[in-house]
Amino acid sequence: MKIFKTAGLLLFSSLFIFSCKTTSVQVTDAAAAEGAAAQTAQEGENSEKTLEYPVKKENEVWTDNSGKSEPFSKGLVTLRYKKKLGSFNIAVKNKAEKLIPVLSTVEEYTTSAFYLKSNNKIIKLFNDSNIKTGYSKSENAVRITYSVPDLADVVLEFLIFPSVEGGIEDMVKVTATVINKTSVQKELGLKTILDTVLGEVDSYHFYTRNGVPVTSEVLYKTMANEKWIVSRNPSAAMQMFFYGADCTAPEALALGNYGTFDKKEWVPNMYNYRGFDSAYSYNNSAVAVVWPTFRLNPNESGKCIFYLAFATDYDNPQGEKYLFPESDEEEVEPLIPTEPAQEKVFTRTIESARQTEPQPERAAPAMDKIQKKTPSAPQKKKKADPKQFSNQQLTPEYVQNLLDRIIALEEDDASLNRAEIFQLNAELDAILEVLGL
């Protein structure tokens, strides 16, 4: 009897132990499955974030170029920079092998800049001693890296390529990448201000894709209608694309006086119908582009992409052939040079999108004054009308600004613009007459 009891106890104990082992294995498998599911979910989440903020694969060989400031040229395009300041400039080479800047060259290229926003803090990436800057280059591109301590890295890449296969390099793809270098999730934003110069010696500062001139400051919330903006003069032209292909849609894009944008405001504070001139910044146009902010986890990145296309010697840029290859866009009329007896004047035919008939050729306003023939008999000089000037224009500060601008133009032989000098002098004379001086 004792033997049977002992055997029964042993059998019960064996079954109990086996049951416990089986339960233990099942729990472990469940935990592993749960862990695997969590890992898969995390990978899926990370995959989605990676797709939302893609990071370019390194297919090109990059070499350190931090110790050099040599220009980087391909086809029409030349990139220049000031390595100590982190600034850059873009120029195009015409048929006479002369470089024509498309962005302002003053203040060592620092007026055109990229900005980083974190919370309410706005950081200008150029000319900041706290930001470490590095340069590298590949066969077709230049890369500038800005390391903002304890916050982020911003990488600008300028890729030069042709608008049509087998053609000359006439386009630049600009990719701005921001990388969160903190240990927490951050909201980071990028914007750029491009200090354009080509339109400052033309009848108008900017044109839309249909060749319609932009006559006053304007703020766009979408570029789906305009598609691109052109800054040009008879020597060169720059086509700016912020819509199409893989362009990053901006939150806001503004065309205006540089002084309007050179403030501690993230989105420019625009005023309707204000011209491109101000009392303190005459004939100084710029483009401000603000992209939506990124919410980035540690080491995650976000990208903003836009394109620039160029042309020289009266030609039109052909960037739409690359970004809109299937489009039936009508080409803008080319610049038409005319040759009066004393100096060249350039006119163009401009067609409005709302008109069915083309407008007559129109010469630059400043040049019209030069082309008028001298009357055979002396005429009485028309007295200046005080109503044509605002109160701001009748201030000593505005008068001094005009004088400074005239002196600067007369001293700069490289960019001497007689038409603008005549225009400024005429305005100055009229204001002095109204003031009784």
Side-chain angles (χ1 to χ4, degrees):
M1 193 71 178
K2 223 174 206 185
I3 294 172
F4 286 114
K5 283 185 179 180
T6 304
L9 287 173
L10 288 173
L11 179 61
F12 178 79
S13 299
S14 300
L15 291 173
F16 177 78
I17 292 170
F18 178 77
S19 174
C20 288
K21 284 183 178 179
T22 305
T23 305
S24 176
V25 170
Q26 289 174 347
V27 170
T28 303
D29 290 343
E34 184 178 353
Q39 184 177 357
T40 303
Q42 181 66 30
E43 287 175 355
E45 184 180 351
N46 290 338
S47 176
E48 291 178 0
K49 291 181 178 177
T50 303
L51 290 174
E52 187 177 354
Y53 308 112
V55 178
K56 182 182 176 181
K57 294 181 180 179
E58 295 293 336
N59 295 323
E60 294 188 273
V61 177
W62 293 87
T63 58
D64 181 30
N65 201 44
S66 299
K68 302 176 183 179
S69 294
E70 297 174 355
F72 184 86
S73 297
K74 282 281 182 181
L76 290 183
V77 184
T78 296
L79 297 174
R80 298 182 290 182
Y81 53 88
K82 302 291 183 180
K83 60 178 182 175
K84 292 182 179 179
L85 303 178
S87 59
F88 68 85
N89 189 267
I90 302 176
V92 291
K93 187 181 295 184
N94 64 11
K95 294 177 182 177
E97 298 294 313
K98 178 183 177 182
L99 284 180
I100 303 170
V102 299
L103 300 176
S104 177
T105 59
V106 302
E107 299 177 19
E108 298 191 278
Y109 311 158
T110 57
T111 53
S112 294
F114 276 78
Y115 297 77
L116 174 69
K117 181 183 179 184
S118 174
N119 298 326
N120 294 322
K121 186 178 181 181
I122 300 175
I123 303 167
K124 185 176 182 179
L125 298 176
F126 299 178
N127 199 19
D128 189 329
S129 59
N130 294 321
I131 298 176
K132 184 179 179 182
T133 307
Y135 290 83
S136 58
K137 65 178 181 178
S138 67
E139 184 181 354
N140 299 301
V142 170
R143 180 180 288 174
I144 311 175
T145 303
Y146 305 90
S147 294
V148 183
D150 304 319
L151 181 58
D153 285 351
V154 178
V155 182
L156 302 183
E157 184 178 310
F158 301 85
L159 175 66
I160 305 175
F161 66 100
S163 57
V164 294
E165 188 175 355
I168 190 171
E169 292 89 345
D170 59 347
M171 289 191 72
V172 176
K173 178 181 180 180
V174 184
T175 304
T177 305
V178 57
I179 307 165
N180 178 11
K181 303 304 288 186
T182 70
S183 58
V184 296
Q185 190 180 74
K186 279 281 186 181
E187 284 199 11
L188 299 170
L190 289 174
K191 84 168 181 178
T192 185
I193 295 176
L194 303 177
D195 189 359
T196 55
V197 294
L198 296 177
E200 293 172 3
V201 292
D202 188 69
S203 307
Y204 300 97
H205 290 275
F206 300 105
Y207 295 84
T208 66
R209 67 186 175 100
N210 293 317
V212 178
V214 179
T215 58
S216 60
E217 293 187 337
V218 61
L219 178 70
Y220 297 103
K221 289 294 186 180
T222 176
M223 293 301 295
N225 296 322
E226 282 72 19
K227 290 188 173 62
W228 66 80
I229 299 295
V230 176
S231 170
R232 72 188 184 198
N233 64 35
S235 299
M238 175 172 64
Q239 203 176 17
M240 296 168 278
F241 294 87
F242 301 94
Y243 175 86
D246 55 346
C247 289
T248 306
E251 176 186 336
L253 184 146
L255 308 176
N257 187 282
Y258 182 82
T260 303
F261 307 144
D262 194 22
K263 295 181 174 66
K264 292 295 183 181
E265 296 172 339
W266 190 242
V267 178
N269 186 8
M270 305 292 290
Y271 301 93
N272 292 333
Y273 307 113
R274 188 169 70 175
F276 286 93
D277 299 335
S278 70
Y280 302 101
S281 186
Y282 178 81
N283 196 32
N284 191 359
S285 55
V287 181
V289 187
V290 182
W291 288 281
T293 57
F294 298 99
R295 181 172 293 176
L296 303 175
N297 290 326
N299 292 319
E300 223 172 20
S301 64
K303 290 189 177 183
C304 301
I305 298 173
F306 64 95
Y307 290 82
L308 305 173
F310 305 97
T312 64
D313 302 287
Y314 323 125
D315 291 335
N316 289 314
Q318 303 295 320
E320 70 276 9
K321 291 184 178 180
Y322 175 79
L323 279 94
F324 304 99
E326 304 300 326
S327 176
D328 294 327
E329 294 286 345
E330 294 184 2
E331 292 188 3
V332 179
E333 287 292 325
L335 301 172
I336 306 170
T338 61
E339 298 186 2
Q342 295 184 349
E343 73 177 286
K344 292 184 179 180
V345 180
F346 298 92
T347 61
R348 63 181 52 77
T349 300
I350 300 172
E351 295 184 2
S352 173
R354 298 183 181 180
Q355 295 178 340
T356 57
E357 298 182 359
Q359 298 177 353
E361 289 188 359
R362 172 181 176 179
M367 293 300 203
D368 289 343
K369 299 179 182 180
I370 303 174
Q371 293 184 49
K372 290 180 181 177
K373 296 181 179 179
T374 305
S376 56
Q379 295 182 350
K380 187 176 180 182
K381 183 180 178 182
K382 187 178 180 181
K383 193 172 182 180
D385 184 7
K387 294 181 180 179
Q388 74 182 95
F389 300 107
S390 65
N391 293 332
Q392 191 178 40
Q393 288 177 289
L394 300 177
T395 60
E397 292 82 3
Y398 187 84
V399 172
Q400 185 62 50
N401 185 274
L402 283 178
L403 287 169
D404 293 342
R405 179 66 176 168
I406 292 170
I407 294 171
L409 287 172
E410 289 176 341
E411 290 179 348
D412 190 359
D413 294 334
S415 60
L416 184 63
N417 184 356
R418 298 184 184 280
E420 186 175 355
I421 293 174
F422 286 139
Q423 183 183 8
L424 291 173
N425 275 311
E427 181 182 0
L428 179 62
D429 292 341
I431 291 175
L432 293 178
E433 183 180 343
V434 171
L435 295 174
L437 301 175

